[in-house]
Amino acid sequence: MDTRTTKTAIAALMLALPLAAPAAAQDAYPERDITHIMPWGAGGGTDTVMRTFMNFAEEQLGVGINTQNVSGAQSGIGTLQLMNARPDGHTIGSLTWDSVITVPYYELVPGYDTDQLTYLGSVTVHPTVLAVAADSPYETLEDFIAAAEENPGELSISNVGSGGVWHLPALDMAEATGIEVNHVPYPDGSGSQREGLLTGETDAASLSASAIYNAVQEDQARVLAVMSDERSDFFPETPTFAELGYDVTWGSFRLIAAPSGISDEQRQTLTDAFAAVFEMPEFQERAEETAMGAVWMNGEDTTEYVESQQESAFALIDQLVEQGILDK
């Protein structure tokens, strides 16, 4: 190669180098803010917890995470929107028990298929509780049971949707204790459910520990019993149903997912960022303050966990349908 050709080649190479940096930058992920679909109404327990989590995740990812509330069909409308989103790593969503169990079991939304989701991790796993307003005449679970026995079908227990995550525990509790109650759904989520409890629209609420924790701390509500194997660290003075002689154990969870088809690299970036949030002292402090029930599982473990929950829940709902307690 002569000198002239060599100089030409070097010049061409030098001209190409400045273009390499912008090209690499275009391949960076995430390239822009991420949309976070919240399939429940604003102000509820899930909305509050997941917005808090996403605020910390912004620090790890270096971009904004913008939450959009898309409620309806017991989380089915928002989750379907997540399923149909472009799998480019810039749309994620929160899922709850209803998203992966109630909606698919009852086929509440046409075209809904959890196989269209890629699980990224878990944020919370927490027990269900039975709560009443602070001015309620029921000081204990036995008080509530006695009143229900005296007035069959008159006392009300709220949930966030028939056949859903907090309706089933209330049904199970009623069967275990031998009482008849009126089940009142609040499909927009635990925010309106909690408001209904505190304003006297319902006598009690079946909901998560985290959804009622602040109201308990502010002396607006109290928990009569916890549906877990052991007492809750956040309600250590409150007995479990098992302690009181009733085999009633229920809980729920909050997960993060993306549309199926997201690349392995994007999935790993998101999962690593979410896992890193759990290592942040500020997050752990906030989780403890709010009784969030923070529990991290990676994407693979979350997938196995969901499949296990679906198997057991579907079997239980089938039994309730056969008994005529639920309709399908």
Side-chain angles (χ1 to χ4, degrees):
M1 180 179 292
D2 60 28
T3 304
R4 188 175 190 179
T5 303
T6 302
K7 289 182 177 179
T8 301
I10 293 174
L13 177 62
M14 295 302 292
L15 287 172
L17 286 176
L19 299 177
Q26 289 176 0
D27 293 335
Y29 172 79
E31 302 171 10
R32 58 184 184 277
D33 287 356
I34 292 173
T35 296
H36 166 234
I37 296 176
M38 166 52 58
W40 294 101
T46 296
D47 180 71
T48 301
V49 166
M50 296 308 290
R51 283 178 184 269
T52 298
F53 183 84
M54 293 303 168
N55 286 340
F56 285 100
E58 287 180 331
E59 298 182 38
Q60 299 295 331
L61 288 165
V63 297
I65 301 179
N66 304 316
T67 297
Q68 294 181 357
N69 293 88
V70 185
S71 61
Q74 293 182 234
S75 80
I77 301 300
T79 306
L80 181 65
Q81 182 171 317
L82 173 65
M83 293 174 180
N84 292 332
R86 180 179 297 176
D88 62 1
H90 290 89
T91 303
I92 60 175
S94 290
L95 305 177
T96 60
W97 197 92
D98 286 306
S99 310
V100 299
I101 294 176
T102 307
V103 179
Y105 182 90
Y106 288 98
E107 300 177 347
L108 298 182
V109 179
Y112 194 101
D113 184 352
T114 53
D115 286 343
Q116 300 178 66
L117 297 170
T118 295
Y119 300 105
L120 302 173
S122 72
V123 175
T124 71
V125 178
H126 43 75
T128 304
V129 303
L130 184 70
V132 296
D135 59 359
S136 168
Y138 314 119
E139 296 286 343
T140 66
L141 177 63
E142 295 301 344
D143 289 342
F144 185 85
I145 293 172
E149 289 174 339
E150 293 177 6
N151 304 280
E154 292 188 17
L155 295 190
S156 57
I157 301 178
S158 65
N159 58 71
V160 293
S162 297
V165 58
W166 295 325
H167 185 208
L168 289 179
L171 287 171
D172 193 25
M173 183 213 75
E175 183 175 5
T177 58
I179 61 175
E180 180 183 347
V181 296
N182 179 29
H183 300 277
V184 181
Y186 284 80
D188 286 337
S190 61
S192 57
Q193 180 194 16
R194 183 177 59 247
E195 186 66 20
L197 176 69
L198 300 182
T199 58
E201 291 179 1
T202 58
D203 296 299
S206 170
L207 73 178
S208 73
S210 61
I212 200 65
Y213 180 76
N214 286 338
V216 172
Q217 292 298 103
E218 296 170 3
D219 295 324
Q220 297 176 325
R222 62 175 168 270
V223 173
L224 299 184
V226 180
M227 301 181 191
S228 60
D229 294 329
E230 300 178 354
R231 290 196 179 194
S232 168
D233 291 339
F234 303 104
F235 304 118
E237 303 302 318
T238 303
T240 67
F241 276 81
E243 286 180 61
L244 300 174
Y246 305 106
D247 183 16
V248 181
T249 303
W250 288 84
S252 188
F253 46 80
R254 300 184 180 100
L255 316 174
I256 311 172
S260 62
I262 185 175
S263 73
D264 291 341
E265 293 78 10
Q266 291 169 340
R267 177 180 180 177
Q268 192 63 52
T269 296
L270 291 170
T271 299
D272 288 347
F274 297 148
V277 171
F278 278 76
E279 301 300 321
M280 299 174 67
E282 301 89 346
F283 171 74
Q284 289 297 333
E285 181 179 349
R286 184 63 183 275
E288 183 173 351
E289 290 174 351
T290 58
M292 187 182 293
V295 175
W296 170 250
M297 292 184 284
N298 63 27
E300 290 75 15
D301 290 342
T302 299
T303 300
E304 293 180 7
Y305 178 76
V306 169
E307 290 173 351
S308 173
Q309 292 291 306
Q310 287 176 327
E311 182 179 357
S312 58
F314 291 164
L316 176 59
I317 300 173
D318 282 341
Q319 291 179 3
L320 293 174
V321 171
E322 290 176 4
Q323 296 169 11
I325 297 174
L326 289 176
D327 295 324
K328 182 177 181 181

